Every structure is written in C-alpha cells, then in structure tokens.
C-alpha cells in the first residue's frame, strides 16, 4: 500500500562577501508553509533591525536578498520538497 506523500519546506539562508565568497549557509526544515513563513519573517526582521537594505523579494517563492550594512549579501531561498517514504525519495515540487 502506498504511503501518503509528505511535503516539507526548506529555508536556506546564505551570506556572501562582497567578492562573492560564501561565508556561511544554514538549512531549516519545516512541516508547514506557516512555520516556514514565521522563520522567514524572523530573518527579515533581523536584517531590517540591523540596517540591511532589501534588494529584491518574491512573495510567491518566499525568497529574496538583503544587502547588509557592511557590504555582504544575505540570500533567503525557500523550496518545497516532497518526501515519498515508499521510495525513500525527496524531489522538487
């Protein structure tokens, strides 16, 4: 019997230096869109409280970037993935 496919949301936060080098990256996993949005809103609030300038934002993709006050770039990327436990497979949605 086939199991139900479960969807997760993955929020990736990356910081790039002015010369393009990636400084750090974190992945956070959420069981619902609402939980992912709460995490994204926290990242956005942190950015704005630290005088970062919004470069671009896409509400549909829940992704965008900020220029931090010391010249680095913060990138927020959100993806929805499907997990099929019968095949132990995770794929794009």
């Amino acid at each position: 019997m086939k199991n139900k496919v479960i969807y997760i949301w993955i929020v990736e936060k990356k910081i790039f230096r002015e010369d393009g080098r990636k400084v750090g990256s974190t992945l956070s996993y959420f069981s619902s869109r609402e939980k992912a949005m709460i995490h994204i809103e926290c990242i956005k609030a942190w950015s704005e409280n630290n005088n970062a300038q919004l470069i671009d934002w896409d509400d549909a993709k829940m992704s965008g970037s900020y220029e931090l006050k010391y010249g680095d770039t913060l990138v927020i990327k959100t993806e929805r993935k499907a997990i099929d436990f019968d095949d132990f497979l995770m794929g794009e949605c």
Side-chain angles (χ1 to χ4, degrees):
M1 183 165 96
K2 281 287 222 181
N3 287 334
K4 180 179 171 185
V5 174
I6 297 174
Y7 297 99
I8 62 170
W9 281 258
I10 302 170
V11 178
E12 182 177 17
K13 180 179 77 171
K14 298 183 270 190
I15 297 179
F16 293 94
R17 295 272 186 224
E18 286 181 287
D19 61 5
R21 292 180 299 131
K22 184 167 69 169
V23 177
S25 177
T26 60
L27 292 173
S28 301
Y29 301 88
F30 300 95
S31 60
S32 70
R33 183 179 198 279
E34 293 77 22
K35 291 177 183 178
M37 283 303 301
I38 291 169
H39 182 65
I40 291 167
E41 291 301 322
C42 289
I43 296 170
K44 289 170 68 175
W46 174 87
S47 300
E48 291 164 6
N49 286 339
N50 285 289
N51 300 320
Q53 297 295 319
L54 180 64
I55 297 171
D56 66 341
W57 188 259
D58 184 347
D59 282 329
K61 293 182 180 179
M62 300 187 313
S63 300
S65 58
Y66 282 87
E67 182 179 344
L68 303 175
K69 63 182 175 184
Y70 44 87
D72 295 352
T73 303
L74 169 68
V75 177
I76 304 166
K77 181 180 174 188
T78 305
E79 294 179 304
R80 183 178 180 216
K81 301 272 187 173
I83 301 174
D84 180 353
F85 289 105
D86 286 335
D87 298 328
F88 297 102
L89 175 21
M90 188 165 80
E92 301 278 334
C93 293

